[in-house]
Amino acid sequence: MENNTFSEVKTALANSNHVLIPLHFRPDGDSFGSALASYYILQSMGKNPTVVCADTMGSFYDLLPEYKIVNWETGLDKMDMSKYDTLLALDSTDLARYTKDNKINFTLPPNLKIINLDHHPGNSYFVRNKLVYFGGVNYVDTTASSTSEIIYQIFREGRKFSGDTPKGTVLGCHPKILKMILLGILSDTGHLKWKISPKLLGIVAELISTVDYQELSSIMLYNYPKENKKYLSIIYNNLKFNDEKRFCYSKISHQEYLDSNIEPDKVGGAVDSIKDIRGYDFCFTLNEEEPKRIHVSFRSQKGVDTSIYAKALGGGGHKAASAALLLGIDLEEAERKVLGVVDNFQFSKSKNCFDV
């Protein structure tokens, strides 16, 4: 199971024309940033990119002009893909995450080329007892901070872009490309708090020689809709603590969304806001945006491999951040199911659960 080279990735894109770029469901800043950076890169190469997402996106993103580029609420299972020759799959372990229900219930055109760029563990499957990546062309680096960093690395190798490029910009790239790459890196590192290395800081230093870091970080950190604070107040009010097993969690029901007049596409960040509580090793939230549709998010910065829990629930992700989608059960049943999974794995004494 080997990656393609950067040159092979760029050649595959150069040989493409109509490129479909999906954001994964419940997109984060890295999904958004890597996709929109790729959109601008492909445009500069004379290609015809289209960005879609099965979901909508809250927080500050609607303040960015790139927000209007995305065709929202357009999953791969809901569209005609026959006009595309290439699918650029970013920041996802599989194609199911590009649909609302996290299921591959669609058929790809037989000649569709798939280019898979990702930094998540688990971006592979077994074929004849051999692990392979799901793309025809692949570059997966689980040591990278983000998929946006991988986009930067691929096009760092002397690639010059056409168009109106201000003199002195990094890589000869238009600032819009660099801004989206920086947005993705900042998002997936918690504004340079997680998975930091001298190499990454060097990349960020190059990026902010062109991008206005203060302006971008101000948009990202200080422009949450008021609905988000109402949402967080419910999360805080519903917090539960397990002192013996050193975890905490919270939940929000669909009825609480309705009672508080909160639109789900304007909220987010709940699980990140409770992961830093002293004395607790990990946390999770259960989010019922629609009846019997529960999104479960796990977080830890203290050694616990939360992906073990997420995978047991049919999801996946990183050790420190993972998620799963539970369908067809109510919030109380989902709560019992997640607690059962946590109890089953946490005290198995397995090194799979903890970095020891």
Side-chain angles (χ1 to χ4, degrees):
M1 182 178 66
E2 295 182 355
N3 278 318
N4 291 93
T5 65
F6 289 169
S7 178
E8 288 170 334
V9 172
K10 289 186 284 189
T11 297
L13 289 172
N15 291 333
S16 302
N17 187 20
H18 295 280
V19 183
L20 181 61
I21 312 172
L23 276 68
H24 63 64
F25 188 74
R26 295 185 68 90
D28 56 11
D30 188 30
S31 180
F32 185 88
S34 61
L36 273 300
S38 298
Y39 173 87
Y40 286 136
I41 289 169
L42 288 164
Q43 274 197 330
S44 75
M45 296 168 66
K47 309 304 176 182
N48 299 289
T50 300
V51 184
V52 301
C53 183
D55 200 5
T56 54
M57 197 170 196
S59 194
F60 61 86
Y61 294 94
D62 60 347
L63 299 177
L64 300 168
E66 287 78 14
Y67 187 85
K68 296 179 180 179
I69 293 173
V70 182
N71 297 281
W72 299 105
E73 299 184 325
T74 307
L76 296 190
D77 54 334
K78 304 295 184 183
M79 61 184 301
D80 178 11
M81 289 185 281
S82 62
K83 69 177 182 179
Y84 300 101
D85 53 67
T86 301
L87 175 67
L88 179 56
L90 302 171
D91 199 41
S92 183
T93 55
D94 57 70
L95 297 178
R97 291 208 68 204
Y98 300 128
T99 68
K100 184 174 181 179
D101 290 336
N102 198 30
K103 296 179 180 178
I104 300 181
N105 51 355
F106 57 92
T107 301
L108 297 174
N111 296 323
L112 185 70
K113 175 171 54 184
I114 299 177
I115 302 174
N116 167 36
L117 309 179
D118 190 24
H119 72 125
H120 291 91
N123 189 306
S124 57
Y125 59 98
F126 280 100
V127 174
R128 297 175 183 174
N129 296 320
K130 182 180 179 181
L131 276 173
V132 298
Y133 296 127
F134 69 79
V137 176
N138 303 276
Y139 190 84
V140 179
D141 180 3
T142 59
T143 69
S145 68
S146 56
T147 303
S148 296
E149 180 187 339
I150 292 172
I151 297 294
Y152 175 90
Q153 291 173 338
I154 290 172
F155 290 93
R156 181 69 176 86
E157 291 193 328
R159 179 72 169 89
K160 302 298 181 182
F161 300 99
S162 59
D164 183 16
T165 304
K167 184 178 181 180
T169 53
V170 179
L171 318 184
C173 288
H174 194 284
K176 290 189 293 187
I177 298 171
L178 304 177
K179 182 177 181 179
M180 290 299 101
I181 291 174
L182 181 59
L183 184 153
I185 290 174
L186 292 178
S187 174
D188 250 27
T189 62
H191 285 260
L192 305 180
K193 294 194 294 289
W194 320 313
K195 207 161 187 178
I196 299 303
S197 66
K199 176 183 176 182
L200 179 64
L201 292 178
I203 291 173
V204 171
E206 279 197 304
L207 292 171
I208 64 176
S209 68
T210 297
V211 181
D212 188 331
Y213 174 82
Q214 286 187 317
E215 178 185 46
L216 179 60
S217 62
S218 178
I219 292 172
M220 295 176 70
L221 294 173
Y222 306 116
N223 281 285
Y224 285 87
K226 64 181 181 182
E227 290 90 344
N228 201 70
K229 300 305 179 184
K230 294 163 65 176
Y231 162 74
L232 290 178
S233 71
I234 296 171
I235 291 293
Y236 294 149
N237 188 59
N238 292 343
L239 263 173
K240 295 182 180 181
F241 300 91
N242 190 313
D243 295 341
E244 178 188 358
K245 300 179 181 178
R246 295 176 63 86
F247 71 85
C248 62
Y249 73 97
S250 188
K251 60 184 178 179
I252 180 169
S253 69
H254 179 64
Q255 190 60 50
E256 286 172 312
Y257 272 107
L258 296 178
D259 292 343
S260 301
N261 195 28
I262 298 172
E263 297 178 41
D265 64 350
K266 295 186 181 299
V267 304
V271 69
D272 287 309
S273 73
I274 63 172
K275 70 182 179 185
D276 57 358
I277 300 175
R278 182 188 301 176
Y280 298 89
D281 296 331
F282 70 100
C283 67
F284 61 88
T285 56
L286 300 102
N287 198 324
E288 187 184 34
E289 295 180 357
E290 300 175 19
K292 295 192 175 182
R293 181 185 181 84
I294 319 297
H295 190 273
V296 187
S297 297
F298 294 92
R299 292 291 187 275
S300 172
Q301 298 300 319
K302 301 171 184 175
V304 179
D305 183 357
T306 67
S307 71
I308 298 293
Y309 310 139
K311 289 175 183 176
L313 295 166
H318 300 285
K319 288 184 177 181
S322 58
L325 180 64
L326 303 180
L327 300 173
I329 59 177
D330 60 30
L331 187 58
E332 288 69 28
E333 185 178 350
E335 181 179 0
R336 290 193 296 271
K337 185 171 185 175
V338 176
L339 288 172
V341 166
V342 168
D343 188 60
N344 182 51
F345 279 100
Q346 189 181 11
F347 297 99
S348 66
K349 306 299 182 182
S350 169
K351 290 186 179 182
N352 288 330
C353 296
F354 294 90
D355 292 327
V356 293

